[in-house]
Amino acid sequence: MLARLLLLSTAIAVASSGKHGGVEVPEFGEPIANLTVPIGRDATFKCIVVNLGNYRVGWVKADTKAIQAIHEHVITHNHRVSVSHTDHSTWYLHIKSVQEEDKGQYMCQINTDPMKSQMGNLEVVIPPDFVPEETSGDTMVPEGGTARVSCKARGIPPPRVMWKREDGQDIVVRDNMGTKTKVLTYQGEVLKLSKISRSEMGTYLCIAGNGVPPTVSKRIHISVHFHPVIQVPNQLVGAPLGTDVTLECYVESSPKSINYWVKDPPGELIIPSEKHETSVRQKSMFETEMSMTIKNIRREDLGSYICVAKNSLGDVESKIRLYEIPGNDRQVLQYPDERRPFDDDYKTEMYEDDFDEKDNRVPDRANKWYANDGKIIVMSSNCAPTAVLALTALFLRLIL
């Protein structure tokens, strides 16, 4: 139909001009530029024609052969399409608020015989977005299990998805052979964390981008659940009567545990008061430091104290023994800086530096002695039992 309309326009133009063989033939001044436009933005094609004369310019969507406009008249029923021109030499096709269906080739025609035309392509790009039904939410996995989270993104061009930890730590990935690799970012729609440990618990970001702003991201929290664990830095604590003393326990648990203190005997729950000041400090998502300060120690305060941690997976407890250091002397035992050997239970000469504590968060079975003002005057850790007895005997001889 467009061809018939353009031929009719040509006949009218030639008849009105009264010219035949001497009429100048119109030409295109330059190629039509291809356009790449984000969805929702406006697109404008420009067609420059030299010596148009009484000829007409038409616009056609090439893939559907749908006529968009002829000269100054819009033919399509698409209300977003309009045309304009400047001095009959520069002709524009405007498409407002471009949609995905607008993509394709657009043809600028001149109704010469034969007809002249040139085309420009409209590429519609779409910023990335996540497919809700194919994107994971927060997840929970038992320690040692496998966490599998996914982010499915759509957009034009197809987005790329990468993962990173929100806290900036490395992501630990393992292949089918169990080989462990640490990476700052991981590429792919699916993140699989096998044999997961508590240190891998946290918030992971999946980030999708395709070069079309804005880049999008989603926060996915991976919880690693495990039975509570208690570590006690000092299981044996001594202090003179009338002083203050602080007992400490370190708890690891997920989900978060309920932590409290018990006096043994008689096994009664200790309620926070002026006598017993308790505090709980969250060190990380799964690490908690619980402490209790006993004010103005009396004889009835001596004995065993139990710190207890409970969560939905179980409970655990650890005991600290508080005993009296007689006398009010505040002598401090001095130790030289040089390394001194001692014998373990098997009469093997050993040094304190020979113990590797890199894998322990806190020293185990350590001991403290307090003066009557509550200050620590002796502290030793990781000593063999014979060494502890020797130090205790020496200290008692000095202060009695």
Side-chain angles (χ1 to χ4, degrees):
M1 177 173 178
L2 175 62
R4 289 198 297 270
L5 287 172
L6 290 175
L7 286 175
L8 179 60
S9 298
T10 301
I12 295 173
V14 172
S16 62
S17 64
K19 297 179 182 180
H20 299 283
V23 176
E24 292 185 3
V25 179
E27 300 287 347
F28 291 111
E30 61 183 49
I32 297 177
N34 295 327
L35 302 178
T36 299
V37 179
I39 191 169
R41 300 289 183 86
D42 298 343
T44 299
F45 284 107
K46 181 173 69 173
C47 183
I48 297 179
V49 181
V50 179
N51 299 322
L52 179 61
N54 290 322
Y55 289 93
R56 299 289 185 265
V57 173
W59 292 94
V60 177
K61 195 170 188 299
D63 54 350
T64 61
K65 297 181 173 57
I67 302 171
Q68 303 298 298
I70 296 178
H71 219 56
E72 298 177 348
H73 304 287
V74 176
I75 304 300
T76 182
H77 294 294
N78 187 345
H79 68 280
R80 294 181 292 104
V81 174
S82 62
V83 290
S84 64
H85 64 89
T86 304
D87 299 331
H88 282 71
S89 60
T90 304
W91 296 81
Y92 299 99
L93 176 69
H94 307 281
I95 307 173
K96 293 186 65 177
S97 186
V98 165
Q99 302 302 307
E100 189 174 358
E101 61 267 21
D102 296 327
K103 67 180 180 180
Q105 290 186 318
Y106 288 79
M107 181 185 296
C108 176
Q109 296 179 339
I110 306 174
N111 63 338
T112 55
D113 188 14
M115 180 184 65
K116 294 184 177 182
S117 65
Q118 63 175 357
M119 289 190 294
N121 186 68
L122 173 61
E123 182 70 27
V124 179
V125 294
I126 302 176
D129 187 23
F130 292 114
V131 182
E133 57 271 19
E134 297 184 57
T135 298
S136 301
D138 293 347
T139 187
M140 182 277 293
V141 62
E143 188 167 35
T146 299
R148 187 182 184 277
V149 288
S150 62
C151 273
K152 178 68 175 178
R154 58 193 170 195
I156 300 176
R160 297 180 61 186
V161 175
M162 77 168 188
W163 297 82
K164 64 185 298 185
R165 288 186 60 162
E166 190 176 54
D167 59 9
Q169 298 296 314
D170 288 335
I171 296 175
V172 180
V173 292
R174 295 173 177 84
D175 59 20
N176 294 332
M177 303 298 294
T179 304
K180 184 169 66 173
T181 305
K182 293 183 178 181
V183 295
L184 192 59
T185 60
Y186 179 82
Q187 302 288 336
E189 292 183 341
V190 177
L191 176 64
K192 181 181 177 182
L193 304 174
S194 56
K195 295 182 180 178
I196 194 168
S197 67
R198 64 192 67 181
S199 62
E200 296 172 69
M201 175 168 33
T203 300
Y204 290 73
L205 302 175
C206 66
I207 304 168
N210 63 352
V212 183
T215 298
V216 294
S217 65
K218 179 176 175 61
R219 301 172 75 251
I220 298 177
H221 186 78
I222 299 178
S223 299
V224 179
H225 286 188
F226 57 90
H227 189 285
V229 176
I230 290 181
Q231 295 181 358
V232 178
N234 305 289
Q235 291 183 320
L236 190 60
V237 177
L241 299 180
T243 63
D244 299 345
V245 66
T246 299
L247 311 181
E248 297 172 322
C249 285
Y250 295 88
V251 179
E252 294 184 6
S253 64
S254 178
K256 190 175 179 180
S257 60
I258 299 173
N259 307 317
Y260 57 90
W261 294 88
V262 172
K263 178 69 167 66
D264 184 36
E268 294 180 350
L269 176 68
I270 296 176
I271 306 299
S273 62
E274 292 184 1
K275 176 69 176 180
H276 300 99
E277 293 183 357
T278 61
S279 67
V280 176
R281 184 172 68 92
Q282 198 71 30
K283 300 178 64 179
S284 70
M285 284 182 291
F286 62 89
E287 294 175 298
T288 302
E289 176 186 306
M290 54 185 298
S291 63
M292 178 176 64
T293 299
I294 306 172
K295 301 284 190 176
N296 190 23
I297 299 173
R298 297 181 180 180
R299 191 166 302 280
E300 58 268 25
D301 297 323
L302 303 177
S304 295
Y305 291 83
I306 301 174
C307 51
V308 183
K310 291 185 177 183
N311 69 5
S312 58
L313 300 180
D315 58 84
V316 67
E317 61 183 39
S318 189
K319 185 177 293 187
I320 301 175
R321 181 170 170 268
L322 175 62
Y323 66 94
E324 176 192 0
I325 297 179
N328 293 322
D329 258 342
R330 302 186 187 182
Q331 298 180 12
V332 179
L333 297 183
Q334 300 293 331
Y335 293 92
D337 293 335
E338 62 185 43
R339 300 168 69 220
R340 291 196 175 186
F342 62 89
D343 292 338
D344 64 4
D345 291 343
Y346 299 95
K347 304 303 179 181
T348 302
E349 187 177 85
M350 303 181 70
Y351 290 87
E352 292 183 2
D353 293 348
D354 292 334
F355 290 92
D356 186 1
E357 296 179 4
K358 290 186 289 186
D359 294 331
N360 297 321
R361 289 181 176 81
V362 294
D364 194 20
R365 308 192 69 84
N367 303 276
K368 285 183 181 178
W369 287 266
Y370 288 79
N372 66 344
D373 58 356
K375 296 181 179 179
I376 300 174
I377 58 174
V378 177
M379 179 174 132
S380 65
S381 60
N382 286 332
C383 293
T386 54
V388 172
L389 292 174
L391 288 172
T392 304
L394 174 60
F395 176 75
L396 292 176
R397 286 200 302 272
L398 288 173
I399 66 174
L400 293 178

